[in-house]
């Protein structure tokens, strides 16, 4: 999540907290990655407002529409072409290694 401030005359008039969730697909074939972004959903929390009540639901709808018309097409154009991962010329056998998986990442370490 990230904070967004709107200022006027050097003073913060709106402070929002924005979180994003994405849904899509990635494909790996050899050393080429392709994929698509199907959706970006936002969750906006109004932290403070000096200009009255802000409808967080309306802010979410506006951001979702903005992402679907701007960010998602650009991301999909990039991933449709795909990109190559650098090849490893030499694999080094290590004596110690750690492989750890969590819900949102994979960590592999070696000496």
């Amino acid at each position: 999540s990230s904070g967004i401030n709107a200022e006027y005359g050097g003073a913060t008039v709106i402070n929002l907290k924005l979180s994003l969730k994405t849904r899509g697909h990635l494909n790996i074939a050899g050393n080429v990655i392709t994929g698509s972004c199907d959706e970006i959903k936002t969750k906006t929390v109004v932290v403070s407002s000096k200009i009255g009540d802000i409808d967080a639901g309306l802010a979410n709808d506006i951001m979702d529409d903005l992402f679907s018309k701007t960010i998602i097409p650009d991301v999909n154009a990039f991933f449709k072409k795909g990109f190559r991962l650098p090849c490893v010329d030499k694999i080094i056998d290590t004596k110690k290694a750690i492989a750890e998986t969590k819900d949102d990442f994979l960590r592999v370490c070696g000496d």
Side-chain angles (χ1 to χ4, degrees):
S1 63
S2 180
I4 298 173
N5 290 322
E7 296 183 358
Y8 180 76
T12 299
V13 292
I14 303 171
N15 184 343
L16 304 174
K17 180 179 176 185
L18 180 65
S19 300
L20 300 174
K21 280 189 176 182
T22 61
R23 184 173 53 86
H25 302 84
L26 284 180
N27 303 305
I28 302 173
N31 67 332
V32 177
I33 295 181
T34 57
S36 66
C37 178
D38 300 324
E39 179 180 56
I40 299 175
K41 292 300 265 179
T42 58
K43 179 180 178 186
T44 304
V45 175
V46 179
V47 177
S48 66
S49 171
K50 293 183 180 176
I51 60 170
D53 291 336
I54 304 287
D55 183 350
L58 179 59
N60 288 332
D61 292 343
I62 291 168
M63 294 301 289
D64 291 344
D65 191 49
L66 177 69
F67 284 128
S68 70
K69 291 179 179 171
T70 59
I71 304 296
I72 291 175
D74 288 345
V75 168
N76 284 337
F78 175 79
F79 276 108
K80 184 177 181 180
K81 286 189 244 176
F83 63 95
R84 293 188 177 279
L85 294 174
C87 292
V88 177
D89 293 333
K90 182 178 179 184
I91 297 177
I92 300 169
D93 191 16
T94 62
K95 295 179 183 174
K96 295 181 185 178
I98 297 171
E100 178 183 9
T101 60
K102 298 283 185 183
D103 290 338
D104 58 350
F105 71 89
L106 166 66
R107 179 176 75 160
V108 179
C109 302
D111 62 353

